[in-house]
Amino acid sequence: MVMKINEKQGEFRLRSIAIFVAIASFVVLWKMVDVQLLNHDHYLALAQGQQRFEKTKMAERGKVYVHDSAVDPSVYYPLAFDVKKFAVWVVPSHIKDKEKMADNLSSLVGLDRKEIFDKINNDKLYIPPVKRGLNLDEANKIKAGDLAGVYVMPEYSRYYPEGPLASHLLGFVNNSGEGNYGVEGYYDDELRGREGNVKGEKDTLGRVINLLEEKDPQNGANYVLTVDRSAQYFIEKKLQEALVKYQAASGSVVVMDVKTGGIVAMASLPSYDPNTFREQASTNAGAFVNPVIAHLYEPGSIMKTINMAAALSEGVVTPETKESFSNYTVVDGYEIHTAEDKAFGEETMTQVLENSDNVAMVWLSEKMGKEKMYKYLKAFNFFDKTGIDLDTEVAGLTPALKTWRNINRATISFGQGISVTSLQMVAAYAAIANQGRYIYPHIIDKIVYPDGGERKIEKHEGEQVIKPESAIAMREMLYSVVKNGHSKRAAVPGFKIAAKTGTAQIPKPEGGYEESEDGLGIFNHTLAGFAPADDPQFALLVKLEKPKAARYAESTAAPLFGEISSFLLNYHYRLKPTEPIQ
């Protein structure tokens, strides 16, 4: 009986083992079918994912240079370039003890422990870098900690060695590596270059055993600006002094080379430091916009030069044409007065500019007619962008010709009812200095490509806006304005300076013009011109917004214009005086 029981138990065990072996064999067989047939592609990809790797090779962003010698044009100075920094990346799903990791990282990267813990307290595979901008020593300390789930990755960071100098020209590179504003924004694709990568295979120990594909990064092109560093620095310094001295809210200066169209300097204050653009973005992002190319304003009396030049070219008047003028005139029922409500009596056209006579300019506009006035304003490029290679430029603004009434023609003759940018105005003066031919402003002097090739940016001339003889006549008229008129303080000993002041009212969005508590009004002070008058080298515009220390531009913008002109003539262009120095 016992024997029969043992035999049955043995048979049961054998059957159980056989059944287990059969089931196990089926499972193994099914798994083989699943891996090799049904889901072959999936498991192949997993295997390759463990064996293969792919890494991105970062490209270096191109440098931005300016000229650094008035004597040697091949001497450059970098105002923007990349420096190698490091970022700390964390993969939360790879971290077991997140409390401890937050403690470790806090001491290593100098961030609040709670801030780090809140970022890593999850099982995500990706979160933004915990810290960026680390130097090599800081990166090595973190690497030495051998923290699982923490990775230190190299990256390029944009650096501006001169801080706020020329910041509106340069722009900045944002957190995503994209250029914004200025040259950085306009030439972002060319400066950024192209990333490279490397693909290969590794063994079970993680060692590289085979390179499948390797593509080197292509660094960005380097850009040499037409700007001179010494001129830019001097102008920003003098502009800052003027803002304080004349209690102005803001100000701009732009210098354009008459021979080439290159911008020698372009400054606006207040400015910002592109190294710390993040802080500025949270409080005043409007500071990034370049006022010289993006802010429209009514230019006031500096527009009289443009309309007078048009009248000379049309043959409507000559510099010696005489007429008598009262202290006011009436157009479409509106009274238009001279600035100080003074009657100048008989004047030549040169004296009209010297006295900045509004009433005389209205008379001149009547002789021109609105169609001819509009034609010349368009030819001087006030209705279009100049096309300068900088981000955020805008075009000028004036009512369409078909809507012009006599009052539009009258006010535009002395610079009201038309809005322009400072760059448009300095380019118009440069056209007069350039024998009447428009020359397009540009900011790039030369491009240097990664392969060593170079491309020089040549000047781009436009149409003949006014007759050459009319342009030459305007030079002498504007020189007389400085010598005998309201621009005396713009003079430079030893040189003939051609310039015109403008004290312009500021329009309100709802209509009318801004007024001060004392009833004298609120103005923008501008002076535009070129030098030397007998052989122009540069055109210059100085603008001070809402100065409180003086009422007219002859007391604010004119002396600043004179200081800058003196520097440019004596130290930048290094010209010999042509006039007696008293």
Side-chain angles (χ1 to χ4, degrees):
M1 190 71 177
V2 174
M3 189 170 184
K4 287 183 179 179
I5 292 174
N6 289 337
E7 287 177 357
K8 289 181 178 179
Q9 288 177 340
E11 290 176 359
F12 176 77
R13 289 171 181 169
L14 288 173
R15 288 194 188 98
S16 297
I17 292 171
I19 292 171
F20 175 78
V21 170
I23 293 173
S25 298
F26 177 78
V27 171
V28 171
L29 179 62
W30 175 254
K31 192 65 177 177
M32 290 174 64
V33 171
D34 178 57
V35 171
Q36 297 184 25
L37 296 177
L38 300 180
N39 290 298
H40 173 266
D41 293 341
H42 171 69
Y43 288 105
L44 177 62
L46 288 177
Q48 289 177 339
Q50 293 175 344
Q51 295 172 349
R52 294 186 179 181
F53 68 90
E54 181 174 353
K55 293 183 178 180
T56 299
K57 300 172 76 174
M58 300 296 292
E60 184 176 356
R61 191 176 180 89
K63 298 178 178 66
V64 179
Y65 294 95
V66 290
H67 289 274
D68 201 31
S69 171
V71 178
D72 187 351
S74 66
V75 177
Y76 309 135
Y77 183 88
L79 284 189
F81 55 87
D82 278 1
V83 292
K84 195 171 186 179
K85 295 287 187 177
F86 298 86
V88 180
W89 294 75
V90 176
V91 181
S93 62
H94 293 178
I95 300 173
K96 293 181 180 179
D97 190 340
K98 295 181 172 62
E99 294 275 3
K100 184 178 180 181
M101 182 60 74
D103 289 333
N104 291 335
L105 281 178
S106 176
S107 61
L108 288 171
V109 302
L111 292 178
D112 180 70
R113 178 204 172 279
K114 183 178 182 303
E115 179 184 347
I116 296 175
F117 180 75
D118 290 343
K119 289 181 179 180
I120 68 175
N121 188 28
N122 55 71
D123 291 322
K124 295 178 180 178
L125 289 171
Y126 168 82
I127 61 172
V130 173
K131 185 72 177 288
R132 310 188 92 129
L134 276 67
N135 60 36
L136 182 59
D137 289 340
E138 293 169 327
N140 285 336
K141 286 181 182 179
I142 297 173
K143 288 180 181 178
D146 196 22
L147 304 173
V150 176
Y151 304 91
V152 179
M153 305 294 290
E155 61 180 11
Y156 287 113
S157 178
R158 202 62 163 169
Y159 179 60
Y160 303 89
E162 295 295 305
L165 184 72
S167 58
H168 287 113
L169 278 174
L170 295 171
F172 59 87
V173 177
N174 66 20
N175 294 335
S176 301
E178 300 168 337
N180 293 153
Y181 301 96
V183 172
E184 297 277 28
Y186 193 92
Y187 287 106
D188 183 43
D189 286 343
E190 296 84 351
L191 284 163
R192 191 186 303 186
R194 297 292 179 268
E195 291 180 346
N197 61 12
V198 57
K199 297 179 182 178
E201 294 179 325
K202 55 188 178 181
D203 60 19
T204 55
L205 296 178
R207 297 173 298 191
V208 177
I209 58 176
N210 184 31
L211 287 179
L212 301 175
E213 181 183 335
E214 186 172 13
K215 182 181 179 182
D216 290 330
Q218 179 180 319
N219 292 335
N222 297 324
Y223 282 76
V224 180
L225 305 188
T226 56
V227 172
D228 179 83
R229 183 166 73 119
S230 296
Q232 184 73 27
Y233 174 81
F234 179 87
I235 286 170
E236 289 195 20
K237 179 175 180 291
K238 289 299 177 182
L239 179 58
Q240 180 59 50
E241 292 173 0
L243 294 186
V244 174
K245 183 176 182 179
Y246 304 119
Q247 302 172 46
S250 57
S252 298
V253 177
V254 55
V255 183
M256 179 176 166
D257 190 284
V258 169
K259 308 293 186 183
T260 67
I263 298 299
V264 178
M266 183 185 290
S268 292
L269 294 176
S271 60
Y272 68 97
D273 186 344
N275 292 303
T276 58
F277 73 89
R278 296 170 187 84
E279 290 85 343
Q280 189 73 43
S282 62
T283 57
N284 184 19
F288 301 142
V289 176
N290 185 346
V292 172
I293 64 171
H295 287 181
L296 294 172
Y297 78 110
E298 292 193 358
S301 292
I302 58 173
M303 182 60 77
K304 292 172 182 173
T305 298
I306 308 304
N307 289 313
M308 183 65 75
L312 292 181
S313 191
E314 278 293 314
V316 173
V317 294
T318 69
E320 295 76 28
T321 298
K322 291 183 179 181
E323 186 63 44
S324 292
F325 302 104
S326 175
N327 64 316
Y328 79 98
T329 187
V330 179
V331 180
D332 289 346
Y334 295 92
E335 283 191 7
I336 296 175
H337 291 250
T338 58
E340 296 178 326
D341 204 21
K342 174 183 177 181
F344 292 103
E346 186 178 69
E347 298 172 288
T348 66
M349 293 301 102
T350 298
Q351 289 171 328
V352 166
L353 292 181
E354 290 173 0
N355 297 326
S356 200
D357 190 339
N358 294 340
V359 174
M361 290 304 300
V362 173
W363 171 85
L364 185 72
S365 74
E366 291 174 356
K367 292 183 72 68
M368 279 282 289
K370 66 179 183 180
E371 287 81 9
K372 288 181 180 178
M373 270 187 66
Y374 189 92
K375 180 187 77 171
Y376 278 95
L377 292 174
K378 182 175 177 60
F380 272 110
N381 210 39
F382 287 117
F383 306 148
D384 297 301
K385 298 178 183 179
T386 69
I388 193 169
D389 33 358
L390 291 171
D391 252 7
T392 71
E393 186 186 16
V394 300
L397 187 64
T398 194
L401 177 60
K402 63 182 179 181
T403 67
W404 276 28
R405 299 161 54 208
N406 288 331
I407 190 63
N408 296 110
R409 168 185 49 73
T411 59
I412 289 174
S413 73
F414 54 85
Q416 288 187 348
I418 181 172
S419 297
V420 301
T421 67
S422 296
L423 183 62
Q424 286 179 312
M425 186 56 72
V426 81
Y429 271 73
I432 295 172
N434 190 38
Q435 304 238 13
R437 183 172 291 278
Y438 191 86
I439 183 168
Y440 289 92
H442 66 275
I443 196 70
I444 303 300
D445 182 29
K446 183 168 65 173
I447 306 171
V448 182
Y449 297 101
D451 62 3
E454 297 183 356
R455 182 164 74 92
K456 176 77 174 176
I457 306 302
E458 303 297 336
K459 70 176 180 180
H460 177 203
E461 287 191 331
E463 65 177 283
Q464 189 73 34
V465 183
I466 60 173
K467 296 174 182 177
E469 55 270 28
S470 300
I472 293 172
M474 281 303 306
R475 291 182 188 178
E476 290 302 315
M477 293 174 77
L478 290 176
Y479 167 58
S480 185
V481 171
V482 174
K483 190 176 180 180
N484 304 308
H486 293 296
S487 300
K488 288 186 178 71
R489 297 182 68 181
V492 177
F495 296 95
K496 296 177 72 172
I497 306 297
K500 177 75 184 75
T501 57
T503 302
Q505 291 179 280
I506 302 172
K508 296 187 292 187
E510 66 273 17
Y513 290 90
E514 293 189 19
E515 296 180 359
S516 59
E517 293 181 358
D518 58 12
L520 296 178
I522 300 174
F523 303 92
N524 288 326
H525 292 184
T526 311
L527 197 140
F530 46 83
D534 43 358
D535 183 20
Q537 300 295 314
F538 65 87
L540 167 63
L541 181 141
V542 169
K543 177 188 174 191
L544 298 175
E545 296 185 1
K546 302 180 180 181
K548 298 178 181 178
R551 185 176 182 185
Y552 295 110
E554 61 188 276
S555 301
T556 59
L560 178 58
F561 185 103
E563 284 186 290
I564 294 172
S565 294
S566 179
F567 175 86
L568 292 170
L569 291 165
N570 290 295
Y571 301 104
H572 179 70
Y573 288 97
R574 297 173 179 258
L575 300 179
K576 293 181 179 180
T578 58
E579 298 292 301
I581 299 177
Q582 298 178 351

